[in-house]
Amino acid sequence: MPVDVLVGLQWGDEGKGKIVDVLAPTYDVVARFQGGPNAGHTLTFDGIKHVLHQVPSGIFHPHIINVVGNGVVLDPFVFRQELQKLTDRGIDWAKNLYVSRKAQLILPSHRALDRINEEARGGSKIGSTLKGIGPTYQDKIGRTGLRVGDILLPDFQERYQEAVARHAQLAQFHGKELEIGEFEADFFSAIEFLRTLQLTDTEYLLNDLLKQGKNVLAEGAQGSMLDIDFGTYPYVTSSSTIVAGACTGLGIAPKHIEKVYGISKAYCTRVGSGPFPTELLDGVGEQIRQAGREFGSTTGRPRRCGWIDLPALRYSIMLNGVTEIHLMKADVLDEFDEIQICTHYRTADGKETDHLPDHGDLENLTPIYTSLPGWRTNLQAVTDPQALPAELKSYVQFLEKHLEVPVSIVSVGPDRVSTLHLS
């Protein structure tokens, strides 16, 4: 059976968690393949909002196996908090949650280093969530990191102290102290909890399940424009957020991948620093922010808002081999008389392009817009795709024509029932 992959096509926060929740009942397995507690996947059903950071979004379905893959960086303390909240809400996760022994551990010293590094950047801050993600991936690539499987070794305490000593030296380079003493007790308590979970070689687990005919939904975090290689570098995350990351982050071969679901908002948002060609710094941007409740589910920071950007979307679609698009939060644009769509950029020398330039040129782009009429309809009241207003159907058709990929889902509200399947 195949592996289908779900990725964000913008700068994250596209609504991936909701779509995983909607699609999950048709899958046997949901597996997270990268990122860590810097992700915030929000799911709303039965009038209750749930926010997941490291736990796969299939966890609310008892028949689904949920896998935290080797490409994830795991904060044991945050992970325990997440699972406790699920327990408090009556979710029995113990039997269907598996964690890769090869996933990297986020240590308290990683979080401290993250803050120290960001402060050292001064006015050129990345916009880090300060969750320790970057320093953990640095240790992974530098071959000095600790993995989940290490907590089962008799010398884990010594390995931990060696890692903290290295991090202390890095902090001293910036004239800082790590100041992690108050967090270590909670960390080691969470490590004891982590030892009680189903820790396994998830690459074997997943491939065995595929041999048994099970189908897998690979769940990405962040968005393609934050990919470490292809995003708006250096204002990116520290992992591969595109489809290729599902192979390395889960230990599955490319031959298994079939569908690629690309998730995009009907507009654009971004958290943190970095170029954002269609950003709106006026009342329109604020109207979108308030209507869409665009505040980070992980950090609470207000998101930067702008119109949809087709050159950036085409780029992400190309990188991921997207087979269908799921258009999220269309209802946020309900009150607009006109909807703007960026189809091209004008460069600093006056040329038009529909390609996404490198980072240095992104700062000097002027978006070229096409205007379409708004629908001026309360979309949250629409339950039948055929009843969608003609203006929204025209908007979707415009996107399909220019992106050359079908839009198969339109989301018209936060609840899982506010999800309209067009095909």
Side-chain angles (χ1 to χ4, degrees):
M1 293 295 286
V3 176
D4 296 336
V5 186
L6 182 142
V7 292
L9 297 180
Q10 297 166 308
W11 284 276
D13 310 307
E14 298 95 348
K16 296 180 292 295
K18 173 183 176 176
I19 292 299
V20 174
D21 179 59
V22 168
L23 297 177
T26 63
Y27 288 89
D28 303 300
V29 183
V30 173
R32 263 286 298 276
F33 63 84
Q34 49 77 223
N38 55 337
H41 291 179
T42 302
L43 302 81
T44 303
F45 51 89
D46 300 331
I48 301 174
K49 184 172 81 170
H50 307 267
V51 180
L52 300 176
H53 299 282
Q54 300 170 110
V55 177
S57 299
I59 199 66
F60 298 101
H61 301 273
H63 73 283
I64 294 175
I65 295 172
N66 289 264
V67 175
V68 177
N70 57 277
V72 172
V73 288
L74 191 74
D75 186 321
F77 179 69
V78 175
F79 199 53
R80 181 177 63 177
Q81 285 184 318
E82 279 190 80
L83 294 177
Q84 184 57 57
K85 287 180 181 179
L86 290 171
T87 298
D88 293 344
R89 290 179 172 178
I91 306 300
D92 182 7
W93 47 263
K95 293 181 180 180
N96 64 334
L97 178 64
Y98 295 84
V99 179
S100 172
R101 286 197 282 236
K102 294 180 176 64
Q104 294 279 321
L105 286 173
I106 300 175
L107 311 182
S109 49
H110 284 131
R111 295 172 67 103
L113 275 181
D114 203 358
R115 183 173 296 279
I116 290 168
N117 291 339
E118 188 77 338
E119 290 174 351
R121 288 179 175 272
S124 59
K125 288 181 170 60
I126 294 293
S128 169
T129 57
L130 305 180
K131 304 295 182 182
I133 308 300
T136 306
Y137 277 115
Q138 283 178 321
D139 277 2
K140 175 179 180 176
I141 299 303
R143 295 164 293 181
T144 59
L146 296 179
R147 305 202 290 187
V148 167
D150 293 334
I151 70 175
L152 304 176
L153 300 176
D155 64 343
F156 173 71
Q157 182 75 31
E158 290 80 3
R159 291 172 183 246
Y160 170 83
Q161 294 300 338
E162 289 174 3
V164 170
R166 286 194 303 271
H167 296 160
Q169 290 180 331
L170 293 172
Q172 288 172 6
F173 175 80
H174 293 290
K176 302 286 187 177
E177 299 291 333
L178 282 180
E179 299 179 353
I180 61 171
E182 62 180 302
F183 305 110
E184 287 189 311
D186 286 337
F187 173 78
F188 280 106
S189 174
I191 289 292
E192 289 299 320
F193 169 79
L194 192 58
R195 289 185 176 121
T196 68
L197 304 187
Q198 297 184 92
L199 312 180
T200 188
D201 295 319
T202 53
E203 65 274 25
Y204 277 110
L205 172 65
L206 288 167
N207 280 282
D208 287 344
L209 290 168
L210 288 170
K211 286 181 180 179
Q212 295 169 26
K214 307 296 185 183
N215 58 351
V216 177
L217 179 61
E219 177 185 14
Q222 289 83 45
S224 298
M225 298 305 297
L226 293 176
D227 183 82
I228 185 64
D229 287 299
F230 298 104
T232 48
Y233 190 89
Y235 302 99
V236 293
T237 193
S238 302
S239 58
S240 180
T241 61
I242 62 176
V243 165
C247 296
T248 57
L250 296 175
I252 55 173
K255 68 178 182 180
H256 293 299
I257 294 176
E258 189 168 284
K259 295 179 182 178
V260 179
Y261 305 117
I263 315 303
S264 169
K265 285 176 179 169
Y267 51 96
C268 275
T269 63
R270 177 166 195 163
V271 173
S273 305
F276 184 0
T278 65
E279 182 174 13
L280 296 167
L281 299 174
D282 56 11
V284 174
E286 183 61 26
Q287 184 179 350
I288 292 174
R289 182 179 299 112
Q290 294 300 328
R293 298 181 181 87
E294 293 294 355
F295 300 90
S297 55
T298 297
T299 63
R301 291 181 296 181
R303 296 177 183 137
R304 301 157 64 189
C305 297
W307 295 117
I308 198 166
D309 184 332
L310 298 195
L313 276 178
R314 278 192 291 267
Y315 183 67
S316 295
I317 288 167
M318 175 187 72
L319 294 174
N320 289 292
V322 171
T323 58
E324 58 187 84
I325 294 170
H326 298 171
L327 190 68
M328 311 301 292
K329 303 187 82 165
D331 56 299
V332 172
L333 303 182
D334 282 355
E335 298 301 317
F336 288 93
D337 293 320
E338 290 188 333
I339 309 297
Q340 303 296 323
I341 302 174
C342 172
T343 59
H344 296 75
Y345 304 131
R346 181 170 287 109
T347 61
D349 59 4
K351 296 179 180 178
E352 287 189 15
T353 180
D354 62 356
H355 281 204
L356 190 73
D358 194 24
H359 163 251
D361 297 322
L362 272 170
E363 299 283 5
N364 301 306
L365 294 176
T366 301
I368 299 174
Y369 290 112
T370 293
S371 178
L372 293 181
W375 37 90
R376 300 290 296 180
T377 301
N378 178 12
L379 291 181
Q380 293 196 32
V382 179
T383 58
D384 180 358
Q386 299 302 317
L388 287 171
E391 293 83 359
L392 177 55
K393 291 179 180 178
S394 296
Y395 180 78
V396 169
Q397 291 166 1
F398 187 94
L399 296 184
E400 290 179 325
K401 176 183 176 181
H402 286 264
L403 299 175
E404 299 180 325
V405 178
V407 175
S408 60
I409 283 178
V410 174
S411 175
V412 295
D415 198 280
R416 65 162 61 138
V417 299
S418 301
T419 310
L420 304 184
H421 296 260
L422 305 186
S423 59

